[in-house]
């Protein structure tokens, strides 16, 4: 499941990697470039709750390979031709594919992990690795063949479907049993989930905003041309992978909510350093920012699932899928502001957004049943044969 997650989130990382090539070959401005990012995120944000609600009602394992192929095909179609509208629609198709993938995939990953925060961290790490590999893979392909070479970028989706097909079938059968065993497992805590969602939205605005513009920003702040932009994107995504690995162990030691608060608190000075400190230090602050934003990533997924034990698909769609899509809605605003006052001034408000995430995170509480599958056995009476503990749902 982690490998499949990597092949899908590869296409989330591919979109900001496409932006400098679109700017260079088609002479897009900041607003036009941010509109491409919006294409990948707007429709994704709108349909994400719908897919979550559908997977709360039915187990839909077929949605995982179908959405994977949709994500890959959209990016493959984004390069050929000169039409901005067709490029926008192709990237939008990729965004919808990513949106459809996450709720059901996260449900099956939860089944495979049996509720472990650490195991879900590895699943989330797969997505982060896909993000991190996108600049490394996409830039050489487009540098050598131009935007017309984007057809080659469908390959990860095909590989992901082939590698995970048998696992998905097996997990789907187990998930159906657990769904029946877990009915009525607890009360949905919507007020706390809404506050968690606000934190997720703030995090998404920061990360998607940075991922959309950090390549262009690095080219302005660090000598070296387009290579500096690709390096900045890779650093941002790789730092996120490190943060994801750290999140599960830190949560086992300190608790999920406490870890989440500390991460966003550390993110405020990290984002400030990224925006204001010039030169190669940009890469250091990019890594620190990404780590701070990704330590809470898998923890937010399991927190959301525990806040809404009867709406796991909806919770997964919001905390996992929406987390990497809704921020794109703010990207055109950042782009428009950058056209008026420059990119550094346009990125500065992200510091305040991170501070807001830290403040709202301070209002969250640990769910009543905060157990990690790796931290000890569940009570025998709470576990059906072949099913996870209801509290873990």
């Amino acid at each position: 499941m982690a490998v499949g997650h990597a092949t899908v989130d590869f296409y989330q990382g591919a979109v900001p990697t496409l932006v400098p090539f679109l700017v260079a070959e088609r002479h897009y401005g900041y607003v036009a470039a941010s509109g491409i990012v919006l294409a990948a995120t707007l429709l994704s944000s709108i349909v994400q709750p719908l897919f979550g609600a559908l997977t709360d009602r039915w187990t839909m394992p077929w949605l995982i390979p179908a959405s994977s192929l949709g994500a890959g095909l959209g990016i493959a179609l984004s390069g050929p031709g000169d039409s901005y509208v067709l490029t926008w629609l192709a990237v939008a198709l990729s965004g919808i594919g990513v949106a459809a993938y996450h709720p059901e995939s996260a449900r099956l990953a939860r089944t495979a992990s049996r509720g472990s925060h650490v195991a879900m961290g590895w699943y989330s790490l797969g997505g982060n690795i896909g993000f991190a590999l996108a600049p490394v893979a996409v830039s050489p392909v487009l540098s050598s063949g131009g935007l017309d070479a984007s057809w080659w970028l469908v390959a990860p989706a095909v590989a992901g479907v082939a590698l995970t097909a048998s696992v998905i079938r097996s997990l789907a059968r187990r998930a159906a049993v657990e769904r029946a065993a877990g009915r009525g497992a607890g009360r949905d805590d919507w007020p706390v989930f809404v506050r968690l969602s606000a934190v997720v939205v703030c995090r998404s605005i920061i990360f998607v905003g940075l991922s959309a513009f950090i390549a262009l920003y690095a080219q302005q702040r660090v000598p070296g041309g387009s290579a500096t932009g690709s390096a900045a994107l890779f650093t941002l995504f790789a730092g996120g992978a490190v943060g994801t690995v750290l999140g599960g162990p830190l949560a086992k030691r300190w608790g999920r909510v406490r870890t989440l608060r500390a991460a966003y608190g550390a993110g405020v000075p990290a984002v400030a350093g990224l925006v204001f400190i010039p030169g190669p230090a940009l890469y250091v602050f990019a890594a620190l920012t990404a780590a701070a934003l990704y330590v809470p990533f898998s923890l937010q997924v399991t927190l959301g699932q525990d806040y809404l034990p009867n709406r796991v698909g909806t919770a997964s769609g919001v905390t996992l899928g929406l987390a990497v899509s809704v921020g794109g809605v703010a990207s055109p605003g950042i782009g428009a502001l950058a056209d008026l006052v420059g990119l550094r001034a346009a990125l500065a408000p992200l510091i305040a957004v991170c501070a807001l995430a830290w403040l709202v995170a301070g209002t969250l509480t640990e769910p009543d049943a905060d157990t990690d599958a790796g931290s000890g056995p569940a009570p025998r009476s709470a576990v059906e044969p072949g099913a996870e503990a209801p509290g873990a749902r």
Side-chain angles (χ1 to χ4, degrees), residues 276-299:
F276 290 114
I277 296 184
L282 177 144
Y283 296 109
V284 175
F285 284 106
L288 293 174
T289 296
L293 294 176
Y294 267 94
V295 162
F297 189 71
S298 64
L299 308 182

Side-chain angles (χ1 to χ4, degrees), residues 30-300:
Y30 286 129
V31 174
S34 60
I36 297 298
V37 178
L38 179 67
T41 55
L42 179 60
L43 289 177
S44 178
S45 300
I46 293 172
V47 302
Q48 192 81 240
L50 172 62
F51 285 115
L54 289 174
T55 59
D56 280 331
R57 297 194 63 182
W58 301 286
T59 300
M60 304 169 68
W62 59 267
L63 192 59
I64 297 176
S67 58
S68 299
L69 292 174
L73 185 61
I75 294 299
L77 292 172
S78 66
D82 295 325
S83 169
Y84 183 85
V85 172
L86 292 180
T87 299
W88 196 97
L89 290 174
V91 175
L93 171 63
S94 181
I96 293 173
V98 172
Y101 174 87
H102 281 101
E104 184 69 359
S105 175
R107 178 193 295 280
L108 296 188
R110 176 82 167 191
T111 297
S113 72
R114 298 191 181 277
S116 168
H117 311 326
V118 175
M120 283 298 289
W122 287 108
Y123 167 75
S124 298
L125 176 64
N128 298 337
I129 290 174
F131 259 98
L133 289 178
V136 178
V138 173
S139 291
V141 170
L142 298 185
S143 294
S144 60
L147 290 172
D148 288 338
S150 64
W151 282 105
W152 291 100
L153 300 179
V154 75
V158 176
V161 170
L163 287 169
T164 60
S166 61
V167 174
I168 289 169
R169 286 194 295 269
S170 174
L171 288 176
R173 289 191 293 268
R174 192 196 306 175
V177 174
E178 292 178 356
R179 184 193 296 269
R183 292 189 189 280
R187 181 179 61 85
D188 293 335
D189 193 341
W190 283 100
V192 179
F193 181 77
V194 168
R195 295 199 293 273
L196 175 66
S197 300
V199 174
V200 168
V201 168
C202 289
R203 180 210 166 276
S204 182
I205 290 171
I206 300 164
F207 191 79
V208 176
L210 288 176
S211 65
F213 293 106
I214 194 172
L216 296 173
Y217 190 57
Q219 291 175 28
Q220 296 174 6
R221 307 281 287 179
V222 183
S226 61
T228 63
S230 295
L233 265 178
F234 177 78
T235 301
L236 188 72
F237 296 160
V242 173
T244 304
V245 171
L246 293 174
L250 289 174
K252 288 189 71 174
R253 182 175 179 83
W254 303 108
R256 285 178 288 180
V257 171
R258 186 177 178 185
T259 301
L260 189 144
R261 292 170 185 162
Y264 285 117
V268 175
V271 176
L274 172 59
V275 173
F276 290 114
I277 296 184
L282 177 144
Y283 296 109
V284 175
F285 284 106
L288 293 174
T289 296
L293 294 176
Y294 267 94
V295 162
F297 189 71
S298 64
L299 308 182
Q300 290 170 167

